[in-house]
Amino acid sequence: MVSQKAFRLSPRPRGFHVVTREIMEELPDLPQTGMLHLFIQHTSAAITVNEAADPDVLTDFESIFNQLVPENLPFLVHTLEGPDDMPAHIKAAMIGHSIVLPITDGRLALGTWQGIYLCEFRNRASARCLVATIYG
């Protein structure tokens, strides 16, 4: 059995945000066993799984990615939408646009400290659209 639902995450400022609870509120009841595929329909934001217990991790991720891909690089050509646009595309490509999570006993089988991150790379982003596909 396969089901699918599209939904929006509320707008967030630039940075890394744990959105596990918000995503779970959008999903129907999960099967006993299966897989959840989450896809973000944007090229300047990403989705991943990582440490969700210590908020310092979120701050450190933002700092590291800003060091790796800073704004206002003099050789960038795609600058029409502002200095954060092309760096946002590059950062999103580095992390990725989808994740697959196992479902066990009707729940996501995340590790003890894991959570789902929205990685927002634009300075003024709108709501982000996700597509959830449940296989079970």
Side-chain angles (χ1 to χ4, degrees):
M1 184 172 148
V2 178
S3 64
Q4 191 171 75
K5 181 180 182 186
F7 59 93
R8 292 179 182 266
L9 295 177
S10 59
R12 288 183 167 70
R14 180 172 161 166
F16 289 73
H17 308 277
V18 179
V19 292
T20 312
R21 182 176 297 127
E22 187 175 351
I23 288 172
M24 292 306 299
E25 289 171 357
E26 293 289 341
L27 298 179
D29 289 340
L30 298 176
Q32 278 300 107
T33 59
M35 301 296 283
L36 169 65
H37 179 265
L38 289 172
F39 176 79
I40 188 165
Q41 295 180 305
H42 299 274
T43 60
S44 57
I47 189 166
T48 193
V49 172
N50 216 296
E51 158 84 54
D54 184 351
D56 288 344
V57 174
L58 304 171
T59 301
D60 289 345
F61 262 106
E62 174 72 3
S63 297
I64 288 168
F65 272 83
N66 288 337
Q67 287 289 325
L68 290 172
V69 188
E71 291 184 16
N72 299 309
L73 292 169
F75 52 84
L76 294 179
V77 177
H78 179 74
T79 59
L80 187 61
E81 295 179 52
D84 65 329
D85 188 38
M86 191 62 215
H89 294 310
I90 294 166
K91 292 172 186 177
M94 291 170 72
I95 292 179
H97 57 272
S98 68
I99 57 174
V100 178
L101 300 168
I103 299 168
T104 304
D105 296 327
R107 299 177 0 171
L108 294 182
L110 290 167
T112 302
W113 309 111
Q114 291 179 320
I116 302 168
Y117 282 19
L118 168 66
C119 312
E120 180 55 69
F121 300 122
R122 293 304 305 267
N123 292 328
R124 288 174 291 284
S126 58
R128 296 302 193 168
C129 301
L130 274 70
V131 176
T133 305
I134 300 167
Y135 303 88

